[in-house]
Amino acid sequence: MANGANGDIVSTGNPLPVSLSGEDVVITGNVSIPGSIEISNDEGNAIPTHTHLFDENEVEYSNTNPFTIDGTVNIGTLPEVEVKNDVGNPLNVNILEGGVAVDSNNALPTRQLNDSGLIAYARGGAVTESDVLNSYLIDRSGATETLGTSPATMVTVWDEGGLYPWNTFTGSGAHIFVASATNDAKMQGVAITIEGLDSNYNLISEVVTMDASDTTTVQETTQNFYRIVKATVTGTNTNSIPNDYDISFKYGSSSGTVVAKILATYGSTQSCTYTIPAGYQGFILGVNGSSGQSDEITTMIWNRPFNGAWSQVKTFKFVSGTFEHNMRTPLVFDEKTDIEIRAYALVESSRIGTEFQLLLIPNVA
């Protein structure tokens, strides 16, 4: 028997007082500790803790059994949130304001515009935060090789020549068929991004990859396009001149009407045409153009409202050189309106280049 400091016999009710000290304390055998244990640390000196999570089948989460979250996650005020992904696995991002879902099939038309003053000037009224977050600035430019010499022979300023074939787009749209005029070694296996609208006038886009050995082999989109806004060479291409030959985009079949064209060496379509997407109003802020011919040239903005008729909106005349016109009162176009620049010369088959700037603002609720 042993007695404690108070002289009582040591028992479970009267244990020996024990103090452990030193850098290393080793206990062998079983240790029973009655009651609770509290582990604390000084403020600022966190104790590392490892947590193992298991699914409903008691299988631990791992790379082969990833942890997923369904439903809504509420995140409070954080100093910084960083979202990363593995290389080659892009993250889809939904921009809820305005309802535009940005992913591999849907692209924003251009850069976001955070200029409340310009938006208020264009609309001529009050601007909300949603307006600022969902407005976009569009720049459309193009050129023609020749112009007609009378109003009856005026042409649209775009890559193919003649008036743009708007009436080709019918029904719910159709697939687009893509091929170059001549086999182009620079474009073999190279991707082209096509941006446009569906039959509801919502933004869509699709990537088409040219044939790896013969770019005259026609490639077909999987989506129906009701308008073509732009097509651009976006695949890997180290050449300063991306394409040696014209690339045509035909509507509905490999022998269909050309609705867009990337001219040789340009790498992108150039066209003074545009259609206002659903849910937006368009405001033209300025237009400019130029020609090297010594000739009087008439340049016009035309539009066709949804289910309406084509009509001239604004006319500009200039003699060679350049012209530039900034709108004191912006030209306003409702959703689903088709817009284009047309031109004709007085006496010669002149060339011309033109450009217009357009602001997209969400419709007033």
Side-chain angles (χ1 to χ4, degrees):
M1 292 186 296
N3 296 87
N6 58 5
D8 296 332
I9 297 173
V10 175
S11 65
T12 56
N14 183 41
L16 286 171
V18 178
S19 297
L20 299 178
S21 63
E23 294 183 359
D24 298 306
V25 177
V26 179
I27 299 175
T28 59
N30 296 326
V31 177
S32 298
I33 302 175
S36 302
I37 296 177
E38 179 179 342
I39 300 175
S40 61
N41 65 289
D42 296 333
E43 184 176 353
N45 297 305
I47 298 174
T49 303
H50 297 277
T51 302
H52 294 262
L53 301 177
F54 298 83
D55 63 17
E56 67 276 9
N57 298 316
E58 300 301 323
V59 177
E60 186 174 1
Y61 289 114
S62 63
N63 289 337
T64 57
N65 182 35
F67 179 78
T68 60
I69 298 175
D70 295 325
T72 302
V73 177
N74 295 320
I75 301 177
T77 302
L78 297 175
E80 181 178 343
V81 176
E82 183 177 7
V83 180
K84 292 184 176 181
N85 66 287
D86 296 333
V87 176
N89 296 302
L91 296 170
N92 291 334
V93 179
N94 290 332
I95 298 181
L96 299 180
E97 291 288 346
V100 180
V102 182
D103 55 26
S104 59
N105 293 319
N106 297 284
L108 292 173
T110 185
R111 65 184 183 274
Q112 193 177 58
L113 183 71
N114 293 315
D115 190 330
S116 58
L118 182 60
I119 297 169
Y121 161 70
R123 174 172 282 172
V127 175
T128 67
E129 181 181 5
S130 179
D131 293 334
V132 174
L133 293 175
N134 293 282
S135 293
Y136 304 94
L137 190 60
I138 308 295
D139 186 277
R140 303 293 292 172
S141 61
T144 65
E145 282 297 313
T146 60
L147 297 177
T149 55
S150 70
T153 58
M154 62 185 170
V155 302
T156 305
V157 180
W158 74 302
D159 299 308
E160 178 70 356
L163 289 175
Y164 188 80
W166 295 97
N167 291 338
T168 298
F169 299 100
T170 58
S172 59
H175 291 185
I176 302 299
F177 293 75
V178 186
S180 62
T182 303
N183 187 26
D184 192 338
K186 292 180 178 178
M187 287 298 300
Q188 291 174 356
V190 174
I192 297 175
T193 299
I194 305 171
E195 300 177 23
L197 304 177
D198 63 17
S199 58
N200 294 315
Y201 293 80
N202 293 314
L203 295 166
I204 59 173
S205 70
E206 186 169 335
V207 176
V208 172
T209 301
M210 302 296 282
D211 189 86
S213 58
D214 185 356
T215 60
T216 64
T217 300
V218 177
Q219 305 300 312
E220 180 182 356
T221 65
T222 60
Q223 298 183 87
N224 284 345
F225 283 78
Y226 195 69
R227 293 288 188 270
I228 297 293
V229 174
K230 187 177 182 180
T232 306
V233 175
T234 53
T236 302
N237 191 315
T238 59
N239 300 290
S240 58
I241 296 178
N243 59 306
D244 285 332
Y245 302 98
D246 294 351
I247 302 170
S248 295
F249 300 78
K250 296 182 179 181
Y251 184 81
S253 72
S254 59
S255 59
T257 301
V258 174
V259 290
K261 179 178 280 188
I262 296 178
L263 296 178
T265 76
Y266 284 11
S268 180
T269 54
Q270 298 292 311
S271 177
C272 278
T273 61
Y274 193 70
T275 300
I276 308 300
Y280 286 88
Q281 276 189 311
F283 301 81
I284 287 185
L285 306 175
V287 61
N288 59 75
S290 63
S291 175
Q293 301 293 114
S294 181
D295 192 5
E296 180 184 284
I297 297 176
T298 302
T299 305
M300 297 166 286
I301 298 175
W302 283 65
N303 86 136
R304 178 176 62 180
F306 181 61
N307 288 334
W310 282 101
S311 64
Q312 175 267 359
V313 179
K314 201 82 170 176
T315 298
F316 313 91
K317 288 183 179 287
F318 69 102
V319 178
S320 66
T322 63
F323 78 92
E324 182 172 359
H325 189 88
N326 295 317
M327 310 295 182
R328 290 188 176 182
T329 302
L331 303 178
V332 183
F333 304 90
D334 291 330
E335 64 175 2
K336 306 179 183 180
T337 297
D338 296 319
I339 304 169
E340 66 175 31
I341 290 184
R342 300 180 183 179
Y344 67 90
L346 181 62
V347 294
E348 297 185 44
S349 183
S350 305
R351 299 178 180 181
I352 185 176
T354 59
E355 177 185 26
F356 67 86
Q357 294 78 41
L358 180 143
L359 179 61
L360 285 183
I361 306 177
N363 287 336
V364 177

mmCIF file of all heavy atoms in Angstrom, residues 114-147:
data_model
loop_
_atom_site.group_PDB
_atom_site.id
_atom_site.type_symbol
_atom_site.label_atom_id
_atom_site.label_comp_id
_atom_site.label_asym_id
_atom_site.label_seq_id
_atom_site.Cartn_x
_atom_site.Cartn_y
_atom_site.Cartn_z
ATOM 1 N N ASN A 114 -18.622 49.891 -68.326
ATOM 2 C CA ASN A 114 -18.990 50.411 -67.015
ATOM 3 C C ASN A 114 -18.942 51.933 -67.016
ATOM 4 O O ASN A 114 -18.246 52.554 -66.223
ATOM 5 C CB ASN A 114 -18.055 49.851 -65.929
ATOM 6 C CG ASN A 114 -18.236 48.366 -65.739
ATOM 7 O OD1 ASN A 114 -19.362 47.897 -65.670
ATOM 8 N ND2 ASN A 114 -17.147 47.630 -65.674
ATOM 9 N N ASP A 115 -19.663 52.536 -67.934
ATOM 10 C CA ASP A 115 -19.665 53.993 -68.088
ATOM 11 C C ASP A 115 -21.098 54.496 -67.943
ATOM 12 O O ASP A 115 -21.854 54.562 -68.909
ATOM 13 C CB ASP A 115 -19.091 54.363 -69.462
ATOM 14 C CG ASP A 115 -18.826 55.862 -69.603
ATOM 15 O OD1 ASP A 115 -19.548 56.647 -68.963
ATOM 16 O OD2 ASP A 115 -17.919 56.230 -70.361
ATOM 17 N N SER A 116 -21.482 54.833 -66.725
ATOM 18 C CA SER A 116 -22.865 55.241 -66.470
ATOM 19 C C SER A 116 -23.212 56.536 -67.192
ATOM 20 O O SER A 116 -24.351 56.728 -67.630
ATOM 21 C CB SER A 116 -23.098 55.395 -64.963
ATOM 22 O OG SER A 116 -22.200 56.358 -64.412
ATOM 23 N N GLY A 117 -22.220 57.441 -67.337
ATOM 24 C CA GLY A 117 -22.489 58.700 -68.027
ATOM 25 C C GLY A 117 -22.830 58.490 -69.485
ATOM 26 O O GLY A 117 -23.779 59.083 -70.008
ATOM 27 N N LEU A 118 -22.059 57.643 -70.172
ATOM 28 C CA LEU A 118 -22.317 57.372 -71.584
ATOM 29 C C LEU A 118 -23.645 56.640 -71.760
ATOM 30 O O LEU A 118 -24.406 56.937 -72.691
ATOM 31 C CB LEU A 118 -21.180 56.535 -72.170
ATOM 32 C CG LEU A 118 -21.280 56.201 -73.661
ATOM 33 C CD1 LEU A 118 -21.298 57.472 -74.500
ATOM 34 C CD2 LEU A 118 -20.129 55.294 -74.081
ATOM 35 N N ILE A 119 -23.939 55.710 -70.854
ATOM 36 C CA ILE A 119 -25.198 54.970 -70.940
ATOM 37 C C ILE A 119 -26.381 55.920 -70.738
ATOM 38 O O ILE A 119 -27.387 55.851 -71.454
ATOM 39 C CB ILE A 119 -25.220 53.843 -69.901
ATOM 40 C CG1 ILE A 119 -24.100 52.835 -70.204
ATOM 41 C CG2 ILE A 119 -26.572 53.129 -69.889
ATOM 42 C CD1 ILE A 119 -23.870 51.826 -69.105
ATOM 43 N N ALA A 120 -26.276 56.818 -69.762
ATOM 44 C CA ALA A 120 -27.343 57.787 -69.513
ATOM 45 C C ALA A 120 -27.519 58.724 -70.708
ATOM 46 O O ALA A 120 -28.638 59.067 -71.079
ATOM 47 C CB ALA A 120 -27.033 58.585 -68.248
ATOM 48 N N TYR A 121 -26.407 59.134 -71.331
ATOM 49 C CA TYR A 121 -26.471 59.999 -72.513
ATOM 50 C C TYR A 121 -27.196 59.303 -73.655
ATOM 51 O O TYR A 121 -28.058 59.882 -74.320
ATOM 52 C CB TYR A 121 -25.060 60.387 -72.944
ATOM 53 C CG TYR A 121 -24.957 60.894 -74.365
ATOM 54 C CD1 TYR A 121 -25.478 62.125 -74.727
ATOM 55 C CD2 TYR A 121 -24.329 60.115 -75.339
ATOM 56 C CE1 TYR A 121 -25.381 62.583 -76.035
ATOM 57 C CE2 TYR A 121 -24.220 60.562 -76.643
ATOM 58 C CZ TYR A 121 -24.754 61.797 -76.986
ATOM 59 O OH TYR A 121 -24.666 62.237 -78.289
ATOM 60 N N ALA A 122 -26.862 58.038 -73.884
ATOM 61 C CA ALA A 122 -27.472 57.299 -74.987
ATOM 62 C C ALA A 122 -28.964 57.108 -74.755
ATOM 63 O O ALA A 122 -29.782 57.366 -75.642
ATOM 64 C CB ALA A 122 -26.782 55.948 -75.157
ATOM 65 N N ARG A 123 -29.317 56.668 -73.559
ATOM 66 C CA ARG A 123 -30.723 56.392 -73.272
ATOM 67 C C ARG A 123 -31.518 57.666 -73.050
ATOM 68 O O ARG A 123 -32.729 57.709 -73.304
ATOM 69 C CB ARG A 123 -30.824 55.479 -72.047
ATOM 70 C CG ARG A 123 -32.248 55.237 -71.581
ATOM 71 C CD ARG A 123 -32.306 54.185 -70.499
ATOM 72 N NE ARG A 123 -32.191 52.842 -71.079
ATOM 73 C CZ ARG A 123 -32.060 51.735 -70.360
ATOM 74 N NH1 ARG A 123 -31.975 51.823 -69.036
ATOM 75 N NH2 ARG A 123 -31.988 50.561 -70.947
ATOM 76 N N GLY A 124 -30.858 58.703 -72.577
ATOM 77 C CA GLY A 124 -31.572 59.943 -72.292
ATOM 78 C C GLY A 124 -32.438 59.826 -71.060
ATOM 79 O O GLY A 124 -33.499 60.453 -70.978
ATOM 80 N N GLY A 125 -32.021 59.003 -70.114
ATOM 81 C CA GLY A 125 -32.814 58.803 -68.909
ATOM 82 C C GLY A 125 -31.982 58.207 -67.798
ATOM 83 O O GLY A 125 -30.756 58.090 -67.905
ATOM 84 N N ALA A 126 -32.660 57.826 -66.720
ATOM 85 C CA ALA A 126 -31.983 57.297 -65.537
ATOM 86 C C ALA A 126 -31.305 55.970 -65.848
ATOM 87 O O ALA A 126 -31.729 55.205 -66.718
ATOM 88 C CB ALA A 126 -32.978 57.132 -64.398
ATOM 89 N N VAL A 127 -30.228 55.692 -65.109
ATOM 90 C CA VAL A 127 -29.444 54.478 -65.309
ATOM 91 C C VAL A 127 -29.408 53.701 -64.007
ATOM 92 O O VAL A 127 -29.166 54.265 -62.936
ATOM 93 C CB VAL A 127 -28.004 54.816 -65.754
ATOM 94 C CG1 VAL A 127 -27.154 53.559 -65.834
ATOM 95 C CG2 VAL A 127 -28.024 55.530 -67.086
ATOM 96 N N THR A 128 -29.654 52.401 -64.084
ATOM 97 C CA THR A 128 -29.595 51.549 -62.903
ATOM 98 C C THR A 128 -28.261 50.812 -62.869
ATOM 99 O O THR A 128 -27.512 50.784 -63.854
ATOM 100 C CB THR A 128 -30.728 50.511 -62.918
ATOM 101 O OG1 THR A 128 -30.512 49.594 -64.007
ATOM 102 C CG2 THR A 128 -32.077 51.183 -63.093
ATOM 103 N N GLU A 129 -27.975 50.197 -61.731
ATOM 104 C CA GLU A 129 -26.750 49.404 -61.612
ATOM 105 C C GLU A 129 -26.753 48.247 -62.610
ATOM 106 O O GLU A 129 -25.730 47.898 -63.202
ATOM 107 C CB GLU A 129 -26.607 48.866 -60.188
ATOM 108 C CG GLU A 129 -25.342 48.045 -59.971
ATOM 109 C CD GLU A 129 -25.230 47.506 -58.565
ATOM 110 O OE1 GLU A 129 -26.183 47.683 -57.784
ATOM 111 O OE2 GLU A 129 -24.183 46.914 -58.236
ATOM 112 N N SER A 130 -27.935 47.655 -62.815
ATOM 113 C CA SER A 130 -28.047 46.551 -63.773
ATOM 114 C C SER A 130 -27.707 47.015 -65.187
ATOM 115 O O SER A 130 -27.075 46.296 -65.960
ATOM 116 C CB SER A 130 -29.461 45.965 -63.738
ATOM 117 O OG SER A 130 -29.591 44.918 -64.669
ATOM 118 N N ASP A 131 -28.116 48.245 -65.540
ATOM 119 C CA ASP A 131 -27.772 48.802 -66.853
ATOM 120 C C ASP A 131 -26.260 48.869 -67.020
ATOM 121 O O ASP A 131 -25.721 48.495 -68.065
ATOM 122 C CB ASP A 131 -28.353 50.210 -67.017
ATOM 123 C CG ASP A 131 -29.872 50.220 -67.081
ATOM 124 O OD1 ASP A 131 -30.448 49.198 -67.488
ATOM 125 O OD2 ASP A 131 -30.463 51.247 -66.713
ATOM 126 N N VAL A 132 -25.585 49.361 -65.994
ATOM 127 C CA VAL A 132 -24.127 49.531 -66.070
ATOM 128 C C VAL A 132 -23.427 48.188 -66.196
ATOM 129 O O VAL A 132 -22.490 48.022 -66.978
ATOM 130 C CB VAL A 132 -23.611 50.302 -64.829
ATOM 131 C CG1 VAL A 132 -22.095 50.352 -64.824
ATOM 132 C CG2 VAL A 132 -24.200 51.706 -64.792
ATOM 133 N N LEU A 133 -23.897 47.188 -65.441
ATOM 134 C CA LEU A 133 -23.250 45.883 -65.426
ATOM 135 C C LEU A 133 -23.503 45.086 -66.698
ATOM 136 O O LEU A 133 -22.777 44.145 -66.993
ATOM 137 C CB LEU A 133 -23.720 45.071 -64.216
ATOM 138 C CG LEU A 133 -23.287 45.600 -62.847
ATOM 139 C CD1 LEU A 133 -23.923 44.774 -61.736
ATOM 140 C CD2 LEU A 133 -21.774 45.583 -62.711
ATOM 141 N N ASN A 134 -24.529 45.445 -67.456
ATOM 142 C CA ASN A 134 -24.934 44.620 -68.589
ATOM 143 C C ASN A 134 -24.956 45.366 -69.919
ATOM 144 O O ASN A 134 -25.628 44.940 -70.853
ATOM 145 C CB ASN A 134 -26.312 44.021 -68.318
ATOM 146 C CG ASN A 134 -26.283 43.031 -67.176
ATOM 147 O OD1 ASN A 134 -25.860 41.895 -67.332
ATOM 148 N ND2 ASN A 134 -26.706 43.470 -65.997
ATOM 149 N N SER A 135 -24.233 46.466 -70.008
ATOM 150 C CA SER A 135 -24.140 47.206 -71.271
ATOM 151 C C SER A 135 -22.827 46.888 -71.966
ATOM 152 O O SER A 135 -21.807 46.667 -71.319
ATOM 153 C CB SER A 135 -24.238 48.713 -71.015
ATOM 154 O OG SER A 135 -25.526 49.047 -70.540
ATOM 155 N N TYR A 136 -22.857 46.880 -73.289
ATOM 156 C CA TYR A 136 -21.687 46.497 -74.074
ATOM 157 C C TYR A 136 -21.493 47.460 -75.237
ATOM 158 O O TYR A 136 -22.454 47.980 -75.796
ATOM 159 C CB TYR A 136 -21.851 45.066 -74.603
ATOM 160 C CG TYR A 136 -22.089 44.074 -73.512
ATOM 161 C CD1 TYR A 136 -23.380 43.706 -73.147
ATOM 162 C CD2 TYR A 136 -21.024 43.523 -72.809
ATOM 163 C CE1 TYR A 136 -23.609 42.815 -72.119
ATOM 164 C CE2 TYR A 136 -21.240 42.629 -71.773
ATOM 165 C CZ TYR A 136 -22.529 42.288 -71.431
ATOM 166 O OH TYR A 136 -22.740 41.412 -70.406
ATOM 167 N N LEU A 137 -20.229 47.678 -75.583
ATOM 168 C CA LEU A 137 -19.887 48.570 -76.682
ATOM 169 C C LEU A 137 -19.469 47.731 -77.881
ATOM 170 O O LEU A 137 -18.566 46.898 -77.795
ATOM 171 C CB LEU A 137 -18.752 49.510 -76.269
ATOM 172 C CG LEU A 137 -18.431 50.665 -77.222
ATOM 173 C CD1 LEU A 137 -19.644 51.563 -77.392
ATOM 174 C CD2 LEU A 137 -17.243 51.463 -76.688
ATOM 175 N N ILE A 138 -20.132 47.929 -79.005
ATOM 176 C CA ILE A 138 -19.897 47.173 -80.224
ATOM 177 C C ILE A 138 -19.247 48.088 -81.260
ATOM 178 O O ILE A 138 -19.678 49.226 -81.445
ATOM 179 C CB ILE A 138 -21.222 46.631 -80.809
ATOM 180 C CG1 ILE A 138 -22.015 45.866 -79.753
ATOM 181 C CG2 ILE A 138 -20.960 45.778 -82.042
ATOM 182 C CD1 ILE A 138 -21.350 44.616 -79.259
ATOM 183 N N ASP A 139 -18.221 47.585 -81.942
ATOM 184 C CA ASP A 139 -17.603 48.334 -83.036
ATOM 185 C C ASP A 139 -17.673 47.458 -84.288
ATOM 186 O O ASP A 139 -17.184 46.332 -84.290
ATOM 187 C CB ASP A 139 -16.146 48.669 -82.713
ATOM 188 C CG ASP A 139 -15.517 49.568 -83.779
ATOM 189 O OD1 ASP A 139 -15.066 49.034 -84.809
ATOM 190 O OD2 ASP A 139 -15.499 50.790 -83.565
ATOM 191 N N ARG A 140 -18.300 47.964 -85.339
ATOM 192 C CA ARG A 140 -18.448 47.211 -86.580
ATOM 193 C C ARG A 140 -17.744 47.962 -87.711
ATOM 194 O O ARG A 140 -17.983 49.163 -87.915
ATOM 195 C CB ARG A 140 -19.919 47.031 -86.933
ATOM 196 C CG ARG A 140 -20.728 46.356 -85.850
ATOM 197 C CD ARG A 140 -20.319 44.918 -85.657
ATOM 198 N NE ARG A 140 -20.676 44.102 -86.808
ATOM 199 C CZ ARG A 140 -20.301 42.854 -86.979
ATOM 200 N NH1 ARG A 140 -19.512 42.276 -86.074
ATOM 201 N NH2 ARG A 140 -20.678 42.165 -88.046
ATOM 202 N N SER A 141 -16.887 47.266 -88.430
ATOM 203 C CA SER A 141 -16.159 47.909 -89.532
ATOM 204 C C SER A 141 -16.087 46.960 -90.713
ATOM 205 O O SER A 141 -16.171 45.738 -90.567
ATOM 206 C CB SER A 141 -14.742 48.291 -89.084
ATOM 207 O OG SER A 141 -14.007 47.141 -88.712
ATOM 208 N N GLY A 142 -15.940 47.538 -91.905
ATOM 209 C CA GLY A 142 -15.858 46.729 -93.106
ATOM 210 C C GLY A 142 -15.421 47.562 -94.286
ATOM 211 O O GLY A 142 -15.190 48.772 -94.178
ATOM 212 N N ALA A 143 -15.288 46.912 -95.424
ATOM 213 C CA ALA A 143 -14.852 47.593 -96.636
ATOM 214 C C ALA A 143 -15.439 46.893 -97.852
ATOM 215 O O ALA A 143 -15.864 45.731 -97.777
ATOM 216 C CB ALA A 143 -13.326 47.619 -96.727
ATOM 217 N N THR A 144 -15.486 47.594 -98.975
ATOM 218 C CA THR A 144 -15.951 47.012 -100.232
ATOM 219 C C THR A 144 -14.864 47.179 -101.289
ATOM 220 O O THR A 144 -14.061 48.116 -101.237
ATOM 221 C CB THR A 144 -17.220 47.706 -100.751
ATOM 222 O OG1 THR A 144 -16.907 49.068 -101.070
ATOM 223 C CG2 THR A 144 -18.325 47.676 -99.714
ATOM 224 N N GLU A 145 -14.854 46.275 -102.245
ATOM 225 C CA GLU A 145 -13.944 46.415 -103.381
ATOM 226 C C GLU A 145 -14.506 47.395 -104.406
ATOM 227 O O GLU A 145 -13.774 48.176 -104.993
ATOM 228 C CB GLU A 145 -13.708 45.044 -104.037
ATOM 229 C CG GLU A 145 -12.714 44.172 -103.274
ATOM 230 C CD GLU A 145 -11.322 44.781 -103.230
ATOM 231 O OE1 GLU A 145 -10.818 45.230 -104.276
ATOM 232 O OE2 GLU A 145 -10.741 44.839 -102.133
ATOM 233 N N THR A 146 -15.805 47.342 -104.632
ATOM 234 C CA THR A 146 -16.445 48.236 -105.615
ATOM 235 C C THR A 146 -17.797 48.697 -105.097
ATOM 236 O O THR A 146 -18.441 48.020 -104.295
ATOM 237 C CB THR A 146 -16.648 47.529 -106.968
ATOM 238 O OG1 THR A 146 -17.492 46.383 -106.763
ATOM 239 C CG2 THR A 146 -15.319 47.090 -107.562
ATOM 240 N N LEU A 147 -18.226 49.851 -105.573
ATOM 241 C CA LEU A 147 -19.547 50.387 -105.271
ATOM 242 C C LEU A 147 -20.352 50.510 -106.563
ATOM 243 O O LEU A 147 -19.784 50.687 -107.642
ATOM 244 C CB LEU A 147 -19.437 51.777 -104.630
ATOM 245 C CG LEU A 147 -18.736 51.896 -103.278
ATOM 246 C CD1 LEU A 147 -18.668 53.355 -102.863
ATOM 247 C CD2 LEU A 147 -19.457 51.076 -102.222
#
